[in-house]
Amino acid sequence: MFTLILLYMVLCFIISILVLNLHSIWWLPVYKSLYKTRDPDAFRYYSYYKTGYHRSHSRYTKPFKLKGMYNVDEKVGKVICMSLYGSNRKYFDKLESNIRCISKHLPQWAIRVYLHEDVDITVRTQLIRYNVQVYIVQDPECKPGNSAGMFWRFLPLCEHLDVVIMDSDDHMTRSKIRKIRDFFSSDFPLLYSVWGFPWPKQHIRGGFIMKKKELRVPFKKDDIIYYPHRYEFGQDELFLSKHLGN
């Protein structure tokens, strides 16, 4: 009986190892199905699991620049940052809902939006009226669906600030509010990100990051602005994983 149990445990162990090592094969068609519009060539996936893929398949991109700022207060030590671009109203509607939620439940936090210069002026005006920190960005590479605009919101990581980075169309839920409060009321860790299968443990997801001001990141703002590969879907997370993953 003991021998059978031992053999069963060994078999389970071998199967689990095979599954972990082969997930890059069986997960690929699932990934392609889920992200066929945003990442038709599975660039993000292959960049992690195919040696040299990122280097040989990245498109060279031009830098972006900041053209103006509104409602900026250098005394503010806590900021929640997002990027906003594109003409679809749904992104602003969700952002507007987040602004109300943050103002109500996290009043000590400033909201900072990196806004593409081509976004309708009415959106800019509304954000300024809400007392949001608005940074106008000129970026020839930014298009809905690619990663170029996602890099903008990483700039505050280089500042001596408590920072939360999130997607503008991702709702600020009670769970997130609780996580923000708990994280910044503790001493450690200094960086928080959500791990998601099938990405490596050192993968940093751009959709929700928290960084305490005590952490000095190993890159500067110019490293973000002039990063030569911002176009393909997932490049923003590849950048973070490379520089912060360890």
Side-chain angles (χ1 to χ4, degrees), residues 2 18 28 38 70 77 92 99 104 175 198 205 214 224:
F2 176 78
L18 288 174
L28 181 57
R38 304 183 71 184
Y70 300 88
F92 178 72
I99 291 171
K104 180 180 179 180
S175 175
R205 294 183 63 182
E214 290 83 7
I224 300 172

Side-chain angles (χ1 to χ4, degrees), residues 7-237:
L7 287 173
Y8 175 76
M9 292 176 64
V10 170
L11 181 62
C12 289
F13 177 76
I14 293 173
I15 291 174
S16 64
I17 293 297
L18 288 174
V19 169
L20 288 173
N21 287 329
L22 296 176
H23 71 80
S24 60
I25 296 175
W26 67 263
W27 179 256
L28 181 57
V30 178
Y31 178 84
K32 284 187 173 182
S33 175
L34 291 173
Y35 295 94
K36 60 183 178 181
T37 300
R38 304 183 71 184
D39 192 12
D41 298 322
F43 174 85
R44 178 170 63 169
Y45 188 91
Y46 281 128
S47 292
Y48 279 110
Y49 297 113
K50 192 172 182 180
T51 304
Y53 190 86
H54 176 266
R55 185 169 57 253
S56 59
H57 288 77
S58 293
R59 164 180 162 178
Y60 181 81
T61 52
K62 298 177 181 178
F64 63 90
K65 64 173 66 175
L66 301 179
K67 292 190 63 179
M69 299 177 290
Y70 300 88
N71 296 331
V72 176
D73 184 355
E74 295 182 356
K75 296 179 181 179
V76 173
K78 300 175 180 290
V79 295
I80 298 176
C81 305
M82 309 166 214
S83 297
L84 185 64
Y85 49 91
S87 58
N88 195 320
R89 180 73 190 188
K90 70 176 183 178
Y91 297 113
F92 178 72
D93 290 342
K94 291 183 179 180
L95 172 58
E96 196 173 32
S97 174
N98 283 336
I99 291 171
R100 294 194 182 99
C101 181
I102 293 168
S103 299
K104 180 180 179 180
H105 297 287
L106 298 168
Q108 71 275 34
W109 286 79
I111 303 168
R112 183 184 297 186
V113 175
Y114 288 88
L115 186 69
H116 196 275
E117 61 178 349
D118 291 340
V119 172
D120 194 287
I121 191 66
T122 58
V123 172
R124 183 188 307 188
T125 302
Q126 286 178 280
L127 289 175
I128 294 172
R129 286 176 179 172
Y130 284 137
N131 201 35
V132 170
Q133 294 184 6
V134 179
Y135 284 67
I136 307 301
V137 185
Q138 182 184 70
D139 190 348
E141 305 292 351
C142 179
K143 294 180 182 178
N146 73 14
S147 288
M150 297 299 183
F151 278 77
W152 311 340
R153 59 187 177 167
F154 297 158
L155 292 175
L157 292 173
C158 304
E159 300 178 34
H160 188 63
L161 298 170
D162 288 333
V163 179
V164 175
I165 294 173
M166 59 182 292
D167 294 330
S168 60
D169 60 340
D170 190 13
H171 285 300
M172 176 60 82
T173 61
R174 291 182 179 180
S175 175
K176 284 190 175 70
I177 291 171
R178 185 168 58 252
K179 285 181 180 179
I180 291 171
R181 287 173 174 166
D182 291 345
F183 177 79
F184 287 99
S185 63
S186 64
D187 293 328
F188 294 100
L190 299 179
L191 181 73
Y192 173 90
S193 178
V194 180
W195 178 78
F197 181 84
W199 311 120
K201 286 288 186 179
Q202 68 269 23
H203 173 72
I204 304 293
R205 294 183 63 182
F208 190 59
I209 305 169
M210 297 187 289
K211 188 220 72 156
K212 293 175 183 173
K213 61 183 179 182
E214 290 83 7
L215 177 63
R216 297 184 63 181
V217 297
F219 53 85
K220 299 178 180 179
K221 288 186 177 182
D222 279 354
D223 295 323
I224 300 172
I225 293 172
Y226 291 95
Y227 189 68
H229 306 295
R230 296 186 296 114
Y231 191 83
E232 293 82 9
F233 179 70
Q235 284 280 19
D236 56 324
E237 296 181 343

